[in-house]
């Protein structure tokens, strides 16, 4: 079936969709803001992990250029700091990886072009432009979070509990810190102050460590999101070291302070975002439809590292639905919405839950600390956000899950 | 995982769910109104086809007691009566079958008991009893259409376009009419008066023919639903013959009028039903949940023969969701609703569409009359109601589908 799909945005969602369509002989046009080389030379975009299900899609698309066995990592090391520090590890069934998006996105944009995709460069598109575009495409997929374009898709109040950022963020790539063993993403908790995600990233100059500080507003780590790196780089590096020492001992102990510092001035990103879920689709002026994808559809805090995975999952769902149908109307959009709802909304619900963990979630984390199999399951379920919500969604769900687990263990012993 | 599921109703939905649960070691209790032998000796319950996807579930459950290759049928013969009579055939990819539910249900009820299911006999349960039951089960599935129990689940206005029956029905098993070749279900249209479905049924005394008259209110066939068979059996038989002769020539020509007549006085069912879609689930008084299934969830007119298939699909979806979860709360019910929505609501939307076919649907039927491959696809798609709505849901969908089909054919020829 021949069709023409317009994709606004060249992030992971737009690229995975575009490449999926080309692989299935559906013409696709991508509207992007920056050329591949601009992105390569630019500032750090994020520090996002790709989990196994996303890597499997990359393999299927022939764009898994950084083999996870070599570039990836295999576990999560956890540390809850405090008077009674707790450390525990969870292993993945299959490795995940963190590739700097300044490598990843340009390479996939070039794949897209080499495979016959049309890449149109220009300024960020707004609502009006999307309405105009729809006369040239059977369907427009809006897969870009920035700009006013999101207004096409009203906020879903039932799934958007916050009206402000829950964390203030500072992400940077640092030298002078060795990897933990086995190679993993390290999740550090400093109760009351926030989390540090320490990620083994592959970036422009090879392997390094990304530190993503998730600062609770008003806490002692918040400074890292407020102080501007550029104003005094070495003071900022010292501030990071100080916060590591005070709040994140499992990272600090692997730092060589004489070597420690940001890789380069363009390797830092500071900010904050408000989680939001928008409606799946909109009817455009001409009667055709636009689907939201990626950050245009769901914005999650990066604390659980789910954004790219959710965006890629969504892209794949849209691609499969496009192949299976021949008219991209309200029925089509409803089908996409229904098929991605469980996964994508679980990403959002789960992440929002972890930002302000209620007692039953803290209890579950406590259970993981003394039960490696449970922690392995939780870790592998970074691939299954729906299962995370099945287990953590309500106090009853967590209690019943842990009770069933205990009685199954008793049965095995008995 | 051990759990206790209460199933109200012993129709195809309740039985397929119950057998699915037992096959997966989940205890199930079924609340039924009649003993197997009462059903065996009773009046005709319906004349419903089981299509391939339903038969596949029966095979998986080990209850496919009537092998479709022997008991089933392989095609639909169509006839549009009138001055320019049109006949055309559509073939299934896999056979379907019509087994008298007075054989089918008792046998599966016995399977259920033999496999360890608990069968509780008693009067029809109402809303109050379901609320009481919920204290004894983790989840109650209400899979019975009759009685006031449906009131638990409010009507979905968005999917229930009718407030009265669209057809008046007379279904009976008749002797004196031979099967068409190849063996099929014959779909007869008498414009303005209604349809006749002629079905090769396997019943208490072996193979026979079921005639299901779908009379449009006010049309000339309606008498068959109004005149009581029992008041004058031979007059009723003559009336049926007369209607066959006047409206349904493709059936009439295979009748031996000296042999023609209802098999026995208990082999007839007259009535009418109003199609309705109810909400998927309800929260019960004690905080637990009840799920609607089968006719309690969706009532369709029998004209497309979809009721049992939809009920079985729904049962399977519920069973798989039960296995995958450990708490049967609102999240669980929402998941079931989402997973069956596309199939089950398409059954309803498609059937409702065919009851009052708009011009684009009539055009499509016309296209089938001269394109056997198209008719084969439509016939096999009795297994895929979602695809039927994809093709017939709107004038644009039908037009685009037929245009794409034409240009593909031109491409093949070119």
């Amino acid at each position: 079936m021949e069709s023409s799909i317009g994709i606004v945005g060249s992030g992971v969602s737009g690229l995975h969709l575009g490449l999926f369509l080309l692989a299935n002989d559906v013409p696709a046009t991508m509207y992007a803001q920056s050329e591949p080389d601009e992105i390569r030379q630019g500032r750090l975009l994020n520090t996002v992990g790709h989990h196994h299900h996303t890597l499997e899609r990359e393999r299927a698309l022939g764009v898994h250029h950084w083999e996870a066995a070599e570039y990836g990592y295999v576990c999560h090391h956890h540390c809850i700091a405090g008077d009674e520090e707790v450390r525990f590890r969870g292993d993945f069934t299959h490795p995940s990886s963190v590739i700097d998006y300044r490598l990843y996105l340009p390479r996939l944009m070039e794949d897209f072009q080499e495979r016959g995709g049309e890449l149109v460069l220009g300024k960020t598109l707004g609502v009006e432009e999307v309405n105009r575009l729809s006369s040239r495409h059977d369907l427009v997929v809006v897969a870009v979070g920035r700009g006013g374009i999101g207004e096409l898709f009203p906020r879903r109040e039932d799934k958007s509990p916050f009206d402000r950022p829950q964390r203030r963020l500072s992400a940077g790539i640092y030298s002078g810190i060795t990897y933990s063993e086995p190679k993993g993403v390290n999740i550090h908790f400093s109760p009351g102050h926030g989390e540090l995600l320490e990620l083994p990233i592959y970036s422009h100059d090879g392997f390094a460590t990304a530190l993503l500080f998730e600062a609770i507003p008003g806490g002692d780590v918040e400074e890292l999101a407020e102080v501007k790196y550029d104003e005094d780089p070495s003071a900022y590096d010292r501030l990071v070291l100080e916060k590591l020492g005070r709040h994140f001992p499992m990272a600090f102990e692997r730092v060589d302070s004489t070597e420690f510092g940001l890789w380069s001035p363009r390797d830092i990103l500071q900010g904050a975002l408000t989680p939001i879920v928008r409606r799946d689709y909109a009817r455009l002026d001409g009667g055709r439809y636009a689907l939201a994808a990626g950050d245009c559809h769901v914005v999650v805090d990066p604390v659980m590292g789910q954004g790219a995975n959710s965006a890629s999952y969504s892209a794949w769902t849209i691609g499969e639905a496009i192949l299976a149908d021949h008219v991209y109307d309200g029925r089509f959009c409803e089908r996409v919405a229904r098929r991605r709802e469980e996964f994508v909304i679980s990403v959002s619900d789960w992440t929002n839950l972890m930002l302000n963990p209620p007692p039953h979630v803290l209890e579950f984390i406590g259970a993981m600390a003394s039960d490696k199999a449970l922690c392995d399951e939780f870790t592998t379920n970074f691939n299954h956000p729906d299962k995370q919500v099945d287990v953590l969604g309500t106090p009853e769900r967590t209690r019943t899950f842990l009770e069933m687990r205990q009685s199954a263990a008793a049965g095995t012993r008995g």
Side-chain angles (χ1 to χ4, degrees), chain A:
Chain A
M1 189 214 37
E2 180 110 354
S3 171
S4 162
I5 309 297
I7 301 168
V8 180
S10 61
V12 62
S13 193
L15 284 165
H16 282 199
L17 173 59
L19 290 159
F20 178 95
L21 293 175
L22 297 182
N24 290 283
D25 301 319
V26 177
T29 303
M30 185 173 296
Y31 299 87
Q33 212 184 337
S34 307
E35 290 193 64
D37 274 340
E38 274 179 79
I39 297 171
R40 279 195 184 93
Q41 306 307 326
R43 287 181 76 94
L44 182 65
L45 293 165
N46 58 31
T47 57
V48 70
H50 282 199
H51 296 299
H52 180 61
H53 67 93
T54 300
L55 302 181
E56 285 290 88
R57 286 187 290 271
E58 294 174 1
R59 291 184 183 103
L61 293 172
V63 297
H64 187 55
H65 302 302
W66 301 271
E67 180 46 57
E70 184 183 350
Y71 293 87
Y73 61 93
V74 300
C75 66
H76 285 166
H77 299 274
H78 308 81
C79 178
I80 304 173
D83 292 342
E84 297 186 42
E85 186 187 293
V86 183
R87 297 188 184 193
F88 51 100
R89 188 179 105 205
D91 292 335
F92 283 102
T93 306
H94 301 282
S96 300
S97 76
V98 179
I99 306 297
D100 192 318
Y101 264 33
R102 292 170 297 181
L103 274 61
Y104 186 87
L105 298 180
R107 179 72 188 271
L108 269 66
M109 287 169 79
E110 288 164 356
D111 289 332
F112 177 76
Q113 288 182 287
E114 283 164 18
R115 297 173 186 187
E118 189 188 2
L119 187 67
V120 178
L121 293 166
K123 65 178 180 67
T124 311
L125 301 182
V127 171
E128 206 178 315
E129 288 91 346
V130 170
N131 271 305
R132 263 207 298 278
L133 272 189
S134 82
S135 67
R136 287 157 54 187
H137 298 290
D138 296 330
L139 173 73
V140 178
V141 178
V142 184
V144 65
R146 282 163 302 184
I149 201 170
E151 288 166 22
L152 260 174
F153 309 97
R155 170 190 175 106
R156 271 182 64 174
E157 296 298 336
D158 62 324
K159 289 294 169 189
S160 307
F162 305 126
D163 58 4
R164 69 195 67 176
Q166 302 299 295
R167 295 290 185 276
R168 300 196 62 193
L169 308 171
S170 169
I173 301 181
Y174 292 85
S175 56
I177 178 165
T178 57
Y179 287 155
S180 52
E181 269 298 322
K183 193 174 168 189
V185 159
N186 304 334
I187 306 176
H188 310 259
F189 300 89
S190 178
H193 303 287
E195 302 81 14
L196 164 63
L197 299 191
E198 182 193 350
L199 310 111
I201 194 169
Y202 184 75
S203 182
H204 49 84
D205 281 322
F207 287 104
T209 293
L211 299 180
L212 167 60
F213 292 95
E214 292 262 340
I216 294 175
D220 181 53
V221 182
E222 190 178 18
E223 267 182 288
L224 291 179
E226 286 174 338
V227 172
K228 294 293 164 215
Y229 171 85
D230 292 334
E231 287 175 7
D232 188 343
S234 58
Y236 192 88
D237 288 343
R238 283 195 303 277
L239 189 64
V240 171
L241 258 187
E242 183 194 319
K243 300 301 180 192
L244 287 180
R246 194 177 310 152
H247 294 283
F248 306 109
M250 187 176 70
F252 188 68
E253 68 196 21
R254 278 176 285 104
V255 167
D256 175 351
S257 57
T258 63
E259 298 287 331
F260 186 82
L262 202 71
W263 255 20
S264 88
R266 66 187 180 100
D267 292 331
I268 188 167
L269 176 71
Q270 294 170 290
L273 52 82
T274 303
I276 184 173
V277 176
R278 297 182 178 280
R279 287 181 61 86
D280 290 86
Y281 63 93
R283 193 166 185 274
L284 299 173
D285 289 346
R288 290 195 176 143
Y289 283 77
L291 265 175
D295 281 353
C296 186
H297 180 215
V298 177
V299 174
V300 289
D301 187 282
V303 69
M304 290 292 113
Q306 291 290 317
N309 302 284
S310 175
S312 166
Y313 181 95
S314 180
W316 205 263
T317 308
I318 295 169
E320 287 184 330
I322 287 170
L323 295 191
D325 211 336
H326 61 286
V327 171
Y328 307 122
D329 56 5
R331 175 175 175 81
F332 164 81
C333 293
E334 276 293 331
R335 175 176 290 155
V336 168
R338 197 157 48 230
R339 290 196 177 170
R340 72 185 177 185
E341 175 91 359
E342 189 157 317
F343 192 98
V344 171
I345 300 305
S346 289
V347 159
S348 173
D349 285 348
W350 172 45
T351 301
N352 290 343
L353 189 69
M354 300 306 281
L355 288 170
N356 301 291
H360 70 275
V361 172
L362 296 175
E363 187 195 334
F364 185 86
I365 294 172
M368 284 200 293
S370 58
D371 181 344
K372 179 157 185 302
L374 182 66
C375 191
D376 289 349
E377 188 178 335
F378 177 78
T379 302
T380 288
N381 279 347
F382 272 61
N383 288 282
H384 302 287
D386 48 324
K387 292 187 188 171
Q388 305 286 42
V389 183
D390 284 350
V391 173
L392 299 173
T394 64
E396 187 195 2
R397 283 188 164 271
T398 302
R399 188 181 63 245
T400 307
F401 180 83
L402 292 176
E403 281 169 7
M404 283 170 59
R405 194 178 168 79
Q406 270 190 328
S407 56
T412 308
R413 282 197 303 273

